[in-house]
PDB file of all heavy atoms in Angstrom:
ATOM      1  N   ALA N 209       2.239 -13.787  59.977  1.00 77.00           N
ATOM      2  CA  ALA N 209       2.407 -13.346  58.603  1.00 77.00           C
ATOM      3  C   ALA N 209       3.267 -12.095  58.598  1.00 77.00           C
ATOM      4  O   ALA N 209       4.140 -11.937  57.796  1.00 77.00           O
ATOM      5  CB  ALA N 209       1.162 -13.151  57.950  1.00 77.00           C
ATOM      6  N   MET N 210       2.924 -11.067  59.463  1.00 82.00           N
ATOM      7  CA  MET N 210       3.665  -9.853  59.589  1.00 82.00           C
ATOM      8  C   MET N 210       5.125 -10.197  59.924  1.00 82.00           C
ATOM      9  O   MET N 210       6.065  -9.544  59.366  1.00 82.00           O
ATOM     10  CB  MET N 210       3.097  -8.932  60.647  1.00 82.00           C
ATOM     11  CG  MET N 210       1.613  -8.495  60.379  1.00 82.00           C
ATOM     12  SD  MET N 210       1.445  -7.429  59.054  1.00 82.00           S
ATOM     13  CE  MET N 210       1.904  -5.991  59.760  1.00 82.00           C
ATOM     14  N   THR N 211       5.312 -11.067  60.838  1.00 82.00           N
ATOM     15  CA  THR N 211       6.664 -11.440  61.290  1.00 82.00           C
ATOM     16  C   THR N 211       7.397 -11.977  60.186  1.00 82.00           C
ATOM     17  O   THR N 211       8.641 -11.612  59.865  1.00 82.00           O
ATOM     18  CB  THR N 211       6.690 -12.644  62.425  1.00 82.00           C
ATOM     19  OG1 THR N 211       5.705 -12.035  63.462  1.00 82.00           O
ATOM     20  CG2 THR N 211       7.931 -12.935  62.968  1.00 82.00           C
ATOM     21  N   THR N 212       6.861 -12.919  59.300  1.00 78.00           N
ATOM     22  CA  THR N 212       7.462 -13.433  58.182  1.00 78.00           C
ATOM     23  C   THR N 212       7.813 -12.389  57.179  1.00 78.00           C
ATOM     24  O   THR N 212       8.916 -12.367  56.606  1.00 78.00           O
ATOM     25  CB  THR N 212       6.548 -14.490  57.482  1.00 78.00           C
ATOM     26  OG1 THR N 212       6.090 -15.378  58.478  1.00 78.00           O
ATOM     27  CG2 THR N 212       7.435 -15.317  56.510  1.00 78.00           C
ATOM     28  N   ALA N 213       6.896 -11.439  56.914  1.00 78.00           N
ATOM     29  CA  ALA N 213       7.142 -10.399  55.968  1.00 78.00           C
ATOM     30  C   ALA N 213       8.323  -9.559  56.496  1.00 78.00           C
ATOM     31  O   ALA N 213       9.215  -9.273  55.583  1.00 78.00           O
ATOM     32  CB  ALA N 213       5.866  -9.401  56.020  1.00 78.00           C
ATOM     33  N   VAL N 214       8.464  -9.207  57.690  1.00 80.00           N
ATOM     34  CA  VAL N 214       9.520  -8.441  58.103  1.00 80.00           C
ATOM     35  C   VAL N 214      10.875  -9.298  57.951  1.00 80.00           C
ATOM     36  O   VAL N 214      11.839  -8.742  57.562  1.00 80.00           O
ATOM     37  CB  VAL N 214       9.393  -8.080  59.642  1.00 80.00           C
ATOM     38  CG1 VAL N 214      10.713  -7.344  60.211  1.00 80.00           C
ATOM     39  CG2 VAL N 214       8.194  -7.146  59.776  1.00 80.00           C
ATOM     40  N   ALA N 215      10.753 -10.555  58.370  1.00 78.00           N
ATOM     41  CA  ALA N 215      11.896 -11.420  58.425  1.00 78.00           C
ATOM     42  C   ALA N 215      12.478 -11.647  57.011  1.00 78.00           C
ATOM     43  O   ALA N 215      13.699 -11.692  56.751  1.00 78.00           O
ATOM     44  CB  ALA N 215      11.561 -12.762  59.027  1.00 78.00           C
ATOM     45  N   LEU N 216      11.566 -11.681  56.065  1.00 76.00           N
ATOM     46  CA  LEU N 216      11.924 -11.933  54.702  1.00 76.00           C
ATOM     47  C   LEU N 216      12.713 -10.796  54.177  1.00 76.00           C
ATOM     48  O   LEU N 216      13.594 -10.893  53.154  1.00 76.00           O
ATOM     49  CB  LEU N 216      10.834 -12.246  53.766  1.00 76.00           C
ATOM     50  CG  LEU N 216      10.349 -13.706  53.876  1.00 76.00           C
ATOM     51  CD1 LEU N 216       9.109 -13.934  53.005  1.00 76.00           C
ATOM     52  CD2 LEU N 216      11.364 -14.692  53.647  1.00 76.00           C
ATOM     53  N   SER N 217      12.341  -9.542  54.627  1.00 76.00           N
ATOM     54  CA  SER N 217      12.959  -8.451  54.064  1.00 76.00           C
ATOM     55  C   SER N 217      14.429  -8.059  54.882  1.00 76.00           C
ATOM     56  O   SER N 217      15.192  -7.196  54.345  1.00 76.00           O
ATOM     57  CB  SER N 217      12.095  -7.144  54.128  1.00 76.00           C
ATOM     58  OG  SER N 217      11.911  -6.822  55.576  1.00 76.00           O
ATOM     59  N   ASP N 218      14.607  -8.784  55.820  1.00 75.00           N
ATOM     60  CA  ASP N 218      15.752  -8.368  56.685  1.00 75.00           C
ATOM     61  C   ASP N 218      16.523  -9.817  57.155  1.00 75.00           C
ATOM     62  O   ASP N 218      16.035 -10.373  57.938  1.00 75.00           O
ATOM     63  CB  ASP N 218      15.416  -7.569  57.915  1.00 75.00           C
ATOM     64  CG  ASP N 218      16.545  -7.070  58.722  1.00 75.00           C
ATOM     65  OD1 ASP N 218      17.237  -6.018  58.328  1.00 75.00           O
ATOM     66  OD2 ASP N 218      16.962  -7.789  59.650  1.00 75.00           O
ATOM     67  N   ARG N 219      17.695  -9.991  56.597  1.00 75.00           N
ATOM     68  CA  ARG N 219      18.300 -11.391  56.838  1.00 75.00           C
ATOM     69  C   ARG N 219      18.721 -11.513  58.320  1.00 75.00           C
ATOM     70  O   ARG N 219      18.611 -12.593  58.891  1.00 75.00           O
ATOM     71  CB  ARG N 219      19.483 -11.514  55.867  1.00 75.00           C
ATOM     72  CG  ARG N 219      20.279 -12.795  56.000  1.00 75.00           C
ATOM     73  CD  ARG N 219      21.013 -13.288  54.944  1.00 75.00           C
ATOM     74  NE  ARG N 219      20.191 -13.533  53.774  1.00 75.00           N
ATOM     75  CZ  ARG N 219      20.661 -14.260  52.739  1.00 75.00           C
ATOM     76  NH1 ARG N 219      21.910 -14.519  52.620  1.00 75.00           N
ATOM     77  NH2 ARG N 219      19.897 -14.565  51.705  1.00 75.00           N
ATOM     78  N   GLU N 220      19.123 -10.239  58.921  1.00 75.00           N
ATOM     79  CA  GLU N 220      19.601 -10.429  60.256  1.00 75.00           C
ATOM     80  C   GLU N 220      18.400 -10.948  61.084  1.00 75.00           C
ATOM     81  O   GLU N 220      18.616 -11.632  61.920  1.00 75.00           O
ATOM     82  CB  GLU N 220      19.929  -8.945  60.665  1.00 75.00           C
ATOM     83  CG  GLU N 220      20.711  -8.892  61.954  1.00 75.00           C
ATOM     84  CD  GLU N 220      22.110  -9.498  61.925  1.00 75.00           C
ATOM     85  OE1 GLU N 220      22.680  -9.601  60.721  1.00 75.00           O
ATOM     86  OE2 GLU N 220      22.640  -9.878  62.940  1.00 75.00           O
ATOM     87  N   SER N 221      17.138 -10.370  60.975  1.00 74.00           N
ATOM     88  CA  SER N 221      16.183 -10.788  61.794  1.00 74.00           C
ATOM     89  C   SER N 221      15.660 -12.164  61.543  1.00 74.00           C
ATOM     90  O   SER N 221      15.142 -12.944  62.276  1.00 74.00           O
ATOM     91  CB  SER N 221      14.958  -9.855  61.898  1.00 74.00           C
ATOM     92  OG  SER N 221      14.829  -9.223  60.583  1.00 74.00           O
ATOM     93  N   LEU N 222      15.788 -12.521  60.218  1.00 77.00           N
ATOM     94  CA  LEU N 222      15.387 -13.899  59.818  1.00 77.00           C
ATOM     95  C   LEU N 222      16.185 -14.859  60.479  1.00 77.00           C
ATOM     96  O   LEU N 222      15.783 -15.932  61.087  1.00 77.00           O
ATOM     97  CB  LEU N 222      15.540 -14.099  58.334  1.00 77.00           C
ATOM     98  CG  LEU N 222      15.267 -15.521  57.804  1.00 77.00           C
ATOM     99  CD1 LEU N 222      13.809 -15.888  57.994  1.00 77.00           C
ATOM    100  CD2 LEU N 222      15.578 -15.490  56.256  1.00 77.00           C
ATOM    101  N   ASN N 223      17.524 -14.564  60.634  1.00 77.00           N
ATOM    102  CA  ASN N 223      18.494 -15.391  61.252  1.00 77.00           C
ATOM    103  C   ASN N 223      18.165 -15.577  62.743  1.00 77.00           C
ATOM    104  O   ASN N 223      18.193 -16.577  63.382  1.00 77.00           O
ATOM    105  CB  ASN N 223      19.820 -14.846  61.118  1.00 77.00           C
ATOM    106  CG  ASN N 223      20.939 -15.936  61.200  1.00 77.00           C
ATOM    107  OD1 ASN N 223      20.558 -17.217  61.115  1.00 77.00           O
ATOM    108  ND2 ASN N 223      22.106 -15.686  61.231  1.00 77.00           N
ATOM    109  N   ALA N 224      17.861 -14.428  63.422  1.00 75.00           N
ATOM    110  CA  ALA N 224      17.664 -14.492  64.860  1.00 75.00           C
ATOM    111  C   ALA N 224      16.208 -15.204  65.048  1.00 75.00           C
ATOM    112  O   ALA N 224      16.183 -15.856  66.056  1.00 75.00           O
ATOM    113  CB  ALA N 224      17.401 -12.983  65.425  1.00 75.00           C
ATOM    114  N   LEU N 225      15.293 -14.872  64.187  1.00 75.00           N
ATOM    115  CA  LEU N 225      14.055 -15.482  64.342  1.00 75.00           C
ATOM    116  C   LEU N 225      14.093 -17.019  64.335  1.00 75.00           C
ATOM    117  O   LEU N 225      13.326 -17.638  65.253  1.00 75.00           O
ATOM    118  CB  LEU N 225      12.979 -15.092  63.151  1.00 75.00           C
ATOM    119  CG  LEU N 225      11.593 -15.654  63.188  1.00 75.00           C
ATOM    120  CD1 LEU N 225      10.785 -15.261  64.383  1.00 75.00           C
ATOM    121  CD2 LEU N 225      10.958 -15.323  61.916  1.00 75.00           C
ATOM    122  N   ARG N 226      14.836 -17.641  63.478  1.00 76.00           N
ATOM    123  CA  ARG N 226      14.735 -19.014  63.387  1.00 76.00           C
ATOM    124  C   ARG N 226      15.358 -19.705  64.627  1.00 76.00           C
ATOM    125  O   ARG N 226      14.929 -20.841  64.997  1.00 76.00           O
ATOM    126  CB  ARG N 226      15.399 -19.565  62.136  1.00 76.00           C
ATOM    127  CG  ARG N 226      16.984 -19.340  62.102  1.00 76.00           C
ATOM    128  CD  ARG N 226      17.526 -19.908  60.866  1.00 76.00           C
ATOM    129  NE  ARG N 226      18.898 -19.454  60.596  1.00 76.00           N
ATOM    130  CZ  ARG N 226      19.859 -20.353  60.264  1.00 76.00           C
ATOM    131  NH1 ARG N 226      19.481 -21.584  59.897  1.00 76.00           N
ATOM    132  NH2 ARG N 226      21.088 -19.848  60.081  1.00 76.00           N
ATOM    133  N   PHE N 227      16.393 -18.999  65.281  1.00 76.00           N
ATOM    134  CA  PHE N 227      16.896 -19.593  66.464  1.00 76.00           C
ATOM    135  C   PHE N 227      15.966 -19.350  67.610  1.00 76.00           C
ATOM    136  O   PHE N 227      15.687 -20.356  68.466  1.00 76.00           O
ATOM    137  CB  PHE N 227      18.330 -19.065  66.744  1.00 76.00           C
ATOM    138  CG  PHE N 227      19.320 -19.505  65.926  1.00 76.00           C
ATOM    139  CD1 PHE N 227      19.984 -18.769  64.913  1.00 76.00           C
ATOM    140  CD2 PHE N 227      19.753 -20.922  65.963  1.00 76.00           C
ATOM    141  CE1 PHE N 227      20.890 -19.195  64.062  1.00 76.00           C
ATOM    142  CE2 PHE N 227      20.795 -21.345  65.103  1.00 76.00           C
ATOM    143  CZ  PHE N 227      21.284 -20.521  64.164  1.00 76.00           C
ATOM    144  N   TRP N 228      15.540 -18.164  67.710  1.00 74.00           N
ATOM    145  CA  TRP N 228      14.534 -17.886  68.871  1.00 74.00           C
ATOM    146  C   TRP N 228      13.346 -18.677  68.793  1.00 74.00           C
ATOM    147  O   TRP N 228      12.706 -19.127  69.827  1.00 74.00           O
ATOM    148  CB  TRP N 228      14.157 -16.370  68.617  1.00 74.00           C
ATOM    149  CG  TRP N 228      13.562 -15.822  69.863  1.00 74.00           C
ATOM    150  CD1 TRP N 228      14.071 -15.478  71.113  1.00 74.00           C
ATOM    151  CD2 TRP N 228      12.174 -15.634  69.937  1.00 74.00           C
ATOM    152  NE1 TRP N 228      12.981 -15.041  71.880  1.00 74.00           N
ATOM    153  CE2 TRP N 228      11.884 -15.155  71.302  1.00 74.00           C
ATOM    154  CE3 TRP N 228      10.978 -15.778  69.001  1.00 74.00           C
ATOM    155  CZ2 TRP N 228      10.581 -14.842  71.757  1.00 74.00           C
ATOM    156  CZ3 TRP N 228       9.819 -15.403  69.423  1.00 74.00           C
ATOM    157  CH2 TRP N 228       9.625 -15.022  70.804  1.00 74.00           C
ATOM    158  N   ASN N 229      12.781 -18.971  67.523  1.00 75.00           N
ATOM    159  CA  ASN N 229      11.547 -19.668  67.334  1.00 75.00           C
ATOM    160  C   ASN N 229      11.608 -21.121  67.742  1.00 75.00           C
ATOM    161  O   ASN N 229      10.666 -21.737  67.976  1.00 75.00           O
ATOM    162  CB  ASN N 229      11.208 -19.710  65.812  1.00 75.00           C
ATOM    163  CG  ASN N 229       9.875 -19.044  65.518  1.00 75.00           C
ATOM    164  OD1 ASN N 229       9.181 -18.711  66.464  1.00 75.00           O
ATOM    165  ND2 ASN N 229       9.712 -18.692  64.299  1.00 75.00           N
ATOM    166  N   ALA N 230      12.827 -21.653  67.818  1.00 77.00           N
ATOM    167  CA  ALA N 230      12.929 -23.104  68.091  1.00 77.00           C
ATOM    168  C   ALA N 230      12.680 -23.363  69.666  1.00 77.00           C
ATOM    169  O   ALA N 230      12.304 -24.375  70.016  1.00 77.00           O
ATOM    170  CB  ALA N 230      14.357 -23.582  67.777  1.00 77.00           C
ATOM    171  N   GLY N 231      12.838 -22.258  70.413  1.00 79.00           N
ATOM    172  CA  GLY N 231      12.504 -22.438  71.807  1.00 79.00           C
ATOM    173  C   GLY N 231      13.689 -23.055  72.534  1.00 79.00           C
ATOM    174  O   GLY N 231      13.764 -24.288  72.703  1.00 79.00           O
ATOM    175  N   SER N 232      14.615 -22.317  73.182  1.00 80.00           N
ATOM    176  CA  SER N 232      15.727 -22.875  73.867  1.00 80.00           C
ATOM    177  C   SER N 232      15.994 -22.096  75.117  1.00 80.00           C
ATOM    178  O   SER N 232      15.784 -20.964  75.329  1.00 80.00           O
ATOM    179  CB  SER N 232      16.965 -22.783  72.823  1.00 80.00           C
ATOM    180  OG  SER N 232      18.081 -23.158  73.679  1.00 80.00           O
ATOM    181  N   VAL N 233      16.510 -23.066  76.228  1.00 80.00           N
ATOM    182  CA  VAL N 233      16.927 -22.351  77.457  1.00 80.00           C
ATOM    183  C   VAL N 233      18.355 -22.055  77.519  1.00 80.00           C
ATOM    184  O   VAL N 233      18.777 -21.693  78.481  1.00 80.00           O
ATOM    185  CB  VAL N 233      16.417 -23.373  78.593  1.00 80.00           C
ATOM    186  CG1 VAL N 233      14.934 -23.402  78.674  1.00 80.00           C
ATOM    187  CG2 VAL N 233      16.969 -24.726  78.435  1.00 80.00           C
ATOM    188  N   ALA N 234      19.034 -22.439  76.400  1.00 80.00           N
ATOM    189  CA  ALA N 234      20.533 -22.159  76.343  1.00 80.00           C
ATOM    190  C   ALA N 234      20.899 -20.802  75.938  1.00 80.00           C
ATOM    191  O   ALA N 234      20.179 -20.079  75.365  1.00 80.00           O
ATOM    192  CB  ALA N 234      21.134 -23.204  75.458  1.00 80.00           C
ATOM    193  N   GLY N 235      22.069 -20.431  76.341  1.00 77.00           N
ATOM    194  CA  GLY N 235      22.694 -19.119  75.862  1.00 77.00           C
ATOM    195  C   GLY N 235      22.039 -17.849  76.392  1.00 77.00           C
ATOM    196  O   GLY N 235      22.113 -16.846  75.779  1.00 77.00           O
ATOM    197  N   VAL N 236      21.407 -18.009  77.515  1.00 79.00           N
ATOM    198  CA  VAL N 236      20.823 -16.695  78.058  1.00 79.00           C
ATOM    199  C   VAL N 236      21.585 -16.424  79.385  1.00 79.00           C
ATOM    200  O   VAL N 236      21.791 -17.254  80.258  1.00 79.00           O
ATOM    201  CB  VAL N 236      19.360 -16.886  78.393  1.00 79.00           C
ATOM    202  CG1 VAL N 236      18.743 -15.693  78.968  1.00 79.00           C
ATOM    203  CG2 VAL N 236      18.531 -17.273  77.077  1.00 79.00           C
ATOM    204  N   ASP N 237      22.025 -15.203  79.650  1.00 80.00           N
ATOM    205  CA  ASP N 237      22.752 -14.880  80.752  1.00 80.00           C
ATOM    206  C   ASP N 237      21.754 -14.435  81.962  1.00 80.00           C
ATOM    207  O   ASP N 237      20.700 -14.205  81.779  1.00 80.00           O
ATOM    208  CB  ASP N 237      23.507 -13.505  80.479  1.00 80.00           C
ATOM    209  CG  ASP N 237      24.585 -13.770  79.487  1.00 80.00           C
ATOM    210  OD1 ASP N 237      24.944 -14.944  79.296  1.00 80.00           O
ATOM    211  OD2 ASP N 237      25.090 -12.737  78.821  1.00 80.00           O
ATOM    212  N   PHE N 238      22.450 -14.423  83.153  1.00 83.00           N
ATOM    213  CA  PHE N 238      21.680 -13.936  84.245  1.00 83.00           C
ATOM    214  C   PHE N 238      21.162 -12.554  84.185  1.00 83.00           C
ATOM    215  O   PHE N 238      20.190 -12.114  84.736  1.00 83.00           O
ATOM    216  CB  PHE N 238      22.457 -14.139  85.612  1.00 83.00           C
ATOM    217  CG  PHE N 238      22.360 -15.507  86.163  1.00 83.00           C
ATOM    218  CD1 PHE N 238      23.359 -16.336  85.988  1.00 83.00           C
ATOM    219  CD2 PHE N 238      21.150 -15.892  86.760  1.00 83.00           C
ATOM    220  CE1 PHE N 238      23.117 -17.731  86.532  1.00 83.00           C
ATOM    221  CE2 PHE N 238      20.932 -17.194  87.253  1.00 83.00           C
ATOM    222  CZ  PHE N 238      22.074 -18.104  87.061  1.00 83.00           C
ATOM    223  N   ASP N 239      21.932 -11.828  83.365  1.00 79.00           N
ATOM    224  CA  ASP N 239      21.351 -10.443  82.992  1.00 79.00           C
ATOM    225  C   ASP N 239      19.856 -10.368  82.563  1.00 79.00           C
ATOM    226  O   ASP N 239      19.114  -9.484  82.981  1.00 79.00           O
ATOM    227  CB  ASP N 239      22.093  -9.843  81.892  1.00 79.00           C
ATOM    228  CG  ASP N 239      23.462  -9.348  82.224  1.00 79.00           C
ATOM    229  OD1 ASP N 239      23.712  -9.453  83.387  1.00 79.00           O
ATOM    230  OD2 ASP N 239      24.271  -9.014  81.294  1.00 79.00           O
ATOM    231  N   VAL N 240      19.524 -11.337  81.780  1.00 79.00           N
ATOM    232  CA  VAL N 240      18.130 -11.533  81.390  1.00 79.00           C
ATOM    233  C   VAL N 240      17.254 -12.420  82.373  1.00 79.00           C
ATOM    234  O   VAL N 240      16.086 -12.083  82.651  1.00 79.00           O
ATOM    235  CB  VAL N 240      18.193 -12.151  79.935  1.00 79.00           C
ATOM    236  CG1 VAL N 240      16.671 -12.461  79.552  1.00 79.00           C
ATOM    237  CG2 VAL N 240      18.815 -11.418  78.973  1.00 79.00           C
ATOM    238  N   ILE N 241      17.999 -13.473  82.985  1.00 86.00           N
ATOM    239  CA  ILE N 241      17.310 -14.353  83.716  1.00 86.00           C
ATOM    240  C   ILE N 241      16.686 -13.698  85.058  1.00 86.00           C
ATOM    241  O   ILE N 241      15.545 -13.959  85.455  1.00 86.00           O
ATOM    242  CB  ILE N 241      18.165 -15.579  84.212  1.00 86.00           C
ATOM    243  CG1 ILE N 241      18.436 -16.359  82.913  1.00 86.00           C
ATOM    244  CG2 ILE N 241      17.396 -16.417  85.161  1.00 86.00           C
ATOM    245  CD1 ILE N 241      19.377 -17.480  83.186  1.00 86.00           C
TER     246      ILE N 241
END
Side-chain angles (χ1 to χ4, degrees):
Chain N
M210 300 291 282
T211 308
T212 313
V214 175
L216 282 178
S217 64
D218 184 85
R219 180 160 289 194
E220 194 69 24
S221 41
L222 176 61
N223 207 13
L225 176 70
R226 67 178 172 139
F227 286 109
W228 189 78
N229 242 349
S232 172
V233 293
V236 180
D237 293 339
F238 273 105
D239 286 354
V240 177
I241 295 177

